[in-house]
Amino acid sequence: MSLDAKIPQGPLAEKWSKHKFNLKLVNPTNKRKYDIIVVGTGLAGASAAASLAELGYNVKAFCFQDSPRRAHSIAAQGGINAAKNYQNDGDSVYRLFYDTIKGGDYRAREANVHRLAEVSVNIIDQCVAQGVPFAREYGGLLDNRSFGGSQVSRTFYARGQTGQQLLLGAYSALNRQIHLGKVKMYTRTEMLDVVVVDGHAKGIVTRNLKTGAIETHSGHAVLLCTGGYGNVFYLSTNAIGSNVTAAWRAHKRGAYFANPCYTQIHPTCIPVTGDHQSKLTLMSESLRNDGRVWAPKTKEIAEKLRKKEITAAQVKEDERDYFLERKYPSFGNLVPRDVASRNAKDMTDEGRGVGASGLAVYLDFADAITRMGEDTVRAKYGNLFDMYYQITDENPYKQPMRIYPAVHYTMGGLWVDYNLSTNIPGLYALGECNFSDHGANRLGASALMQGLSDGYFVIPYTLGDYLAGIGMKPVDTNHPAFAETKKQTTEYVNKLLALKGTKTVVEYHRELGHIMWEYCGMARTEEGLTKAKAMIQELKADFWKNALVVGENDEMNLALERAGRVADFIELGELMVTDALMRRESCGGHFRLESQTEEGEALRDDENFAFVAAWEFKGENQPEELHKEELVYENVKLTQRSYK
């Protein structure tokens, strides 16, 4: 089956403006008669809820945290892209579009990416108006810095706290609407299922995380803004609570899941220190503006460093391999994340890694401190340096940081068309929850851009078109579909609580993460993926036989929460492996060892795999059905990516 992405006709630069004019409108009086459900209150969810409420819709917003301020968007550090060209260095909407398409290794839709580049310029103005304290130059103008995959400075930032400041801006707009009564906020509430009535999404089933009450909520449309699924790997840079449950339950109700194997590995994370860790810590990509990545030139020097016989400062300049600068002279340390990650892994695979485990390379600021002075470096990156010091007890002003790749973001997600609608009418997916804009590898500083783009500037237009077509008839939770979905959810919760085996849910999660990282992580092979699929199937069977879930439903029960999320991760993990097996090519962050150039770079197969893989759930323990959305490139030429 071929999927219709509903991409507007006409020239690329005119598609969005013409599409907005052709969309049906809901007049201001009628907007008050529609109820909208927004699940998740990060950048995409908070901006969407605030914008829709401002327009006049009645919004019900849900998050499992105790406040929207806790959303994982707050953890974003380095910046947000926008094609403002304040630096007068050659940036433009088209260049941002091109860099994003190329960075995603030509596996994203042209129309979606160009729209993202277009509205990026409005996002900055919106956020400045909200009081977001972006960094400014001496003269008072907004400052920019560079990020990977780009040769211009287009990244706006607020020190290393950009996500936090942007979220507070969206949160203030959301709070205003809560105060006005246009948004009803449900905190400590987790979505467990979608209610589908006559083929349309009309509500959700939730569990109150404090009382255990399983409830239904109705709406004319449901917006999922629930983030990514990187925690399928157990160790990732995501908050521990980040999960796939909302998207996965929607998938099991019929929503297609697209490109699930596309995972982003971030190159600058603090390395793993032991099995005691439950998550990893990201060091912003912005550090690669001034920090130089290197590894020892020989195994012998690396061994001395690992044994602490010498320090990094004692390694002479001609004994250091600045491998990104050596291999990619045009982009140097600012190559895209997948390229930097793969090269760091190559260094450690050759035995040239540093640190006690040997699974790290250096990110060195000595040259920057000599060139600019410590005070300037501190002003730009001080909070990041402090965070590194607090975690490692090493002073990055005096010695290089140790970094290693880790799972950070997921480019896959629910399939959506140009209007951000899933294949279930009335069910939308925004931000990292959908697959639409980043192809096989997201450029740094583009996650915040997409979340706010979808929430502030896309969904307010496209949702109205759907609502105008279905009419204003109220949605009633007394419809049999609500009772039936609630009954199924209650039975599933009781099934989890009946697990009284001997292994904790965390043990299963850790085992799943090991399988995923080992066989479906930075490098993949046909043999390894086939082995992983069998291992995950065995793990799933064992989970439902030997897992231990303590406590009851009518209380705050963290074990029950974790069990449901891990059960979904196990099923998702199998689909990710299935998707990776099917895609017999390398592209972006998906690296098949069987498909690489002579120089070890990712080798695409455009003839056979220039499509979006959208998977349809066909029933428990049944193979999923693959649907394809062919990717057509009319404005860029498909070429082998080069950052040399």
Side-chain angles (χ1 to χ4, degrees), residues 128-200:
V128 169
Q130 290 173 338
V132 173
F134 286 120
R136 293 179 181 268
E137 295 176 328
Y138 179 77
L141 299 177
L142 295 180
D143 198 7
N144 291 126
R145 56 189 178 200
S146 299
F147 256 62
S150 168
Q151 291 179 303
V152 298
S153 293
R154 64 163 66 102
T155 304
F156 295 79
Y157 64 98
R159 296 190 73 190
Q161 310 166 2
T162 313
Q164 180 184 31
Q165 300 304 327
L166 291 172
L167 185 62
L168 289 174
Y171 173 68
S172 65
L174 175 63
N175 255 355
R176 177 172 180 271
Q177 297 304 321
I178 293 172
H179 177 72
L180 293 172
K182 294 304 293 180
V183 174
K184 186 173 182 180
M185 188 70 228
Y186 296 83
T187 58
R188 289 291 187 194
T189 305
E190 182 170 32
M191 175 191 144
L192 295 182
D193 215 334
V194 179
V195 179
V196 179
V197 178
D198 299 328
H200 289 243

Side-chain angles (χ1 to χ4, degrees), residues 485-500:
T485 308
K486 180 179 178 180
K487 175 175 174 286
Q488 292 172 3
T489 301
T490 304
E491 290 173 350
Y492 185 75
V493 169
N494 290 333
K495 182 181 178 183
L496 289 169
L497 288 167
L499 293 172
K500 301 301 178 187

Side-chain angles (χ1 to χ4, degrees), residues 292-358:
R292 301 180 69 190
V293 180
W294 65 274
K297 281 189 176 179
T298 66
K299 296 179 183 178
E300 292 73 23
I301 297 173
E303 182 68 20
K304 290 181 179 180
L305 286 164
R306 289 194 290 269
K307 292 180 177 179
K308 297 185 177 181
E309 294 175 0
I310 59 173
T311 66
Q314 292 174 311
V315 180
K316 298 175 183 177
E317 194 68 17
D318 60 1
E319 296 174 335
R320 303 180 179 194
D321 180 9
Y322 296 93
F323 52 92
L324 294 179
E325 298 172 32
R326 169 174 58 83
K327 295 179 68 173
Y328 309 98
S330 292
F331 283 75
N333 293 299
L334 288 174
V335 292
R337 292 173 175 179
D338 62 314
V339 178
S341 296
R342 197 156 51 246
N343 278 273
K345 183 178 184 296
D346 288 345
M347 294 299 106
T348 60
D349 287 350
E350 292 175 14
R352 294 198 275 146
V354 299
S357 67

